[in-house]
Amino acid sequence: MEFQYKEAKQRRLNWVSETWNGDGHRDIAASDDVLIVGAGVVGSALAYALGKEGRRVHVIERDLSEPDRIVGELLQPGGYLKLVELGLEDCVKDIDAQQVFGYALFKDGKKTRIPYPLENFRSDVAGRSFHHGRFIQRLREKASSLSNVRLEQGTVTSLLEENGMIKGVNYKTRNGEESTAYALLTVVCDGCYSNLRRSLCNPKVDVPSCFVGLVLENCRLPFENHGHVVLADPSPILFYPISSHEIRCLVDVPGQTVPSIANGELAQYLKTVVAPQVPPELHDSFITAIDTGNVKPMANRSMPADPCPTPGALLLGDAFNMRHPLTGGGMTVALSDVVVLRDLLRPLSDFNDASTLCRYLESFYTIRKPVASTINTLAGALYKVFCASPDPARKEMRQACFDYLSLGGIFSLGPIALLSGLNPRPLSLVLHFFAVAVYGFWRLMLPFPSPDRIYTGARLISGASGIIFPILKAEGIREMFFPFSVPAYYRAPLSRQTIQKNRSKHVLAEKSH
């Protein structure tokens, strides 16, 4: 590793400015190894990771000021481990981040605590919750601390395409001037509102609900340093600390819109429908937060990864793949993807051959699947189970899930290991999901089965299948459960001989013209 880094650093010292020509190789002019669109969690972490490898990185971000968002505030332990793997763990220091050691569930006056299985990890491994903007700024500072990483504020307007290859981007600088940036590899990670992804994937965006965000002060959570999930009617309410004196509350509102803020409908909804279901310890602070008027709504989006491999470009982050934020798994998936991509690019001396690089990087989409799809599937399935429903079978499934997790032992450790990203195994997810369904069916048969109970139990099993199988299908069953059977999994990096051979062909082709 040390040798690779020194070799890469020497390449940067011997840098000769280059740009692209018509067939995907570089000529003399100004260009970077990697151009990253977006400096959020993915963009900043990737810039640092590739910069540490000696790559020359240019990052273009629409707004480099501190962002103010109501999600991206809880990093699961699995995500923290990826942060450590990238050398970015100090980015959660000095921002008043709070350690999170598990979850607490509330339903109909009952509650249960589900701790993370952290016994076999070092003492600093836990979840972290924080102000999203503070974390982003620390990541950006870390990335820009490297001399070969350049952050620039600008608005990317389009990808620069030539002969089916992405050569860079067109963008407006901070001063509004039109400009062009070239790179051997363009990584698009400009978030859930990406206007560039349509040429790089087949987006199928779903908006199952909205979050309404509030900040509670002058109160304490029933379980300190834990995330709290209230199985409310009609859908869940989340609480978690984001600083030593602030608690984030996220109220899920089913549908694509929320009641009007302007005419007071939202405040009335929160006070009459939601507030009676809030834990007593938080009720007064919840009402106060509503009265202050600092209420922020946000649409919750989900989108399975469906890439269109394109020479010269790659899609990452929320621009590429989204899941319901109920389980707080987004940053874990994002950082896991950064680690996978960094490791795939590490053996390559350069990215000159765009077509061959594109074919090689198809393995990225397969290698990431087991981790990403497990977290995605869990988020989608758990949200549907946790939402209230008048259907007796769905009610039984929801109650069975709460009671199953309350059993403790393997019944809670298995699911929380999945949610935390510490053991993201697809088979374990499916087994636990159907174990909940079977547990619910078995309870219905006691003290003795009746035709109505049998019918409800059958619909419970059928409903469980109807929840999880469509999600699995959208994620890709083969790639998720049998990645080793996908040919792209075994794609090898370009050898020096192959690179030299391709360059020779290019030179001969130029001479023939």
Side-chain angles (χ1 to χ4, degrees), residues 4 11 31 109-110 113 208 235 281 336 444:
Q4 285 181 329
R11 291 201 308 268
S31 171
K110 297 181 180 179
R113 188 177 73 90
S235 52
E281 299 93 330
S336 176
L444 282 169

Side-chain angles (χ1 to χ4, degrees), residues 305-327:
D306 189 6
C308 299
T310 305
L314 195 71
L315 200 58
L316 280 184
D318 283 351
F320 172 52
N321 183 205
M322 294 180 280
R323 77 290 311 149
H324 196 284
L326 172 70
T327 57

Side-chain angles (χ1 to χ4, degrees), residues 278-460:
V278 169
E281 299 93 330
L282 305 173
H283 181 272
D284 290 346
S285 295
F286 181 78
I287 297 297
T288 301
I290 298 171
D291 291 337
T292 61
N294 189 18
V295 178
K296 296 181 180 179
M298 186 205 74
N300 293 325
R301 291 170 169 80
S302 63
M303 184 182 77
D306 189 6
C308 299
T310 305
L314 195 71
L315 200 58
L316 280 184
D318 283 351
F320 172 52
N321 183 205
M322 294 180 280
R323 77 290 311 149
H324 196 284
L326 172 70
T327 57
M331 288 191 289
T332 300
V333 172
L335 294 169
S336 176
D337 284 352
V338 170
V339 170
V340 171
L341 182 58
R342 179 203 63 181
D343 292 347
L344 282 172
L345 294 177
R346 178 173 283 165
L348 306 184
S349 59
D350 61 52
F351 306 151
N352 280 296
D353 193 328
S355 296
T356 307
L357 176 63
C358 177
R359 188 169 181 275
Y360 167 58
L361 286 181
E362 286 181 19
S363 60
F364 166 77
Y365 302 117
T366 303
I367 294 171
R368 73 178 291 274
K369 270 292 180 180
V371 172
S373 293
T374 298
I375 293 172
N376 294 345
T377 304
L378 179 64
L382 209 56
Y383 176 70
K384 291 184 177 181
V385 171
F386 279 1
C387 284
S389 170
D391 183 354
R394 289 286 297 273
K395 284 184 178 180
E396 287 293 339
M397 183 70 178
R398 192 183 194 219
Q399 186 63 49
C401 186
F402 179 84
D403 292 341
Y404 182 89
L405 294 171
S406 300
L407 292 173
I410 191 174
F411 305 106
S412 63
L413 288 178
I416 199 66
L418 291 164
L419 185 146
S420 64
L422 295 172
N423 181 32
R425 296 184 181 179
L427 184 58
S428 178
L429 166 62
V430 173
L431 289 176
H432 277 288
F433 188 79
F434 279 104
V436 171
V438 171
Y439 175 66
F441 180 87
W442 174 76
R443 292 190 334 153
L444 282 169
M445 297 303 106
L446 299 176
F448 57 84
S450 67
D452 284 346
R453 287 173 174 267
I454 293 173
Y455 176 69
T456 301
R459 290 189 61 248
L460 189 157

Side-chain angles (χ1 to χ4, degrees), residues 88-101:
L88 292 168
E89 66 272 25
D90 57 340
C91 290
V92 296
K93 296 178 180 178
D94 303 321
I95 60 172
D96 200 15
Q98 303 298 297
Q99 286 190 315
V100 179
F101 298 112

Side-chain angles (χ1 to χ4, degrees), residues 23-34:
D23 70 346
H25 295 274
R26 289 193 298 192
D27 290 330
I28 303 300
S31 171
D32 295 291
D33 287 329
V34 181

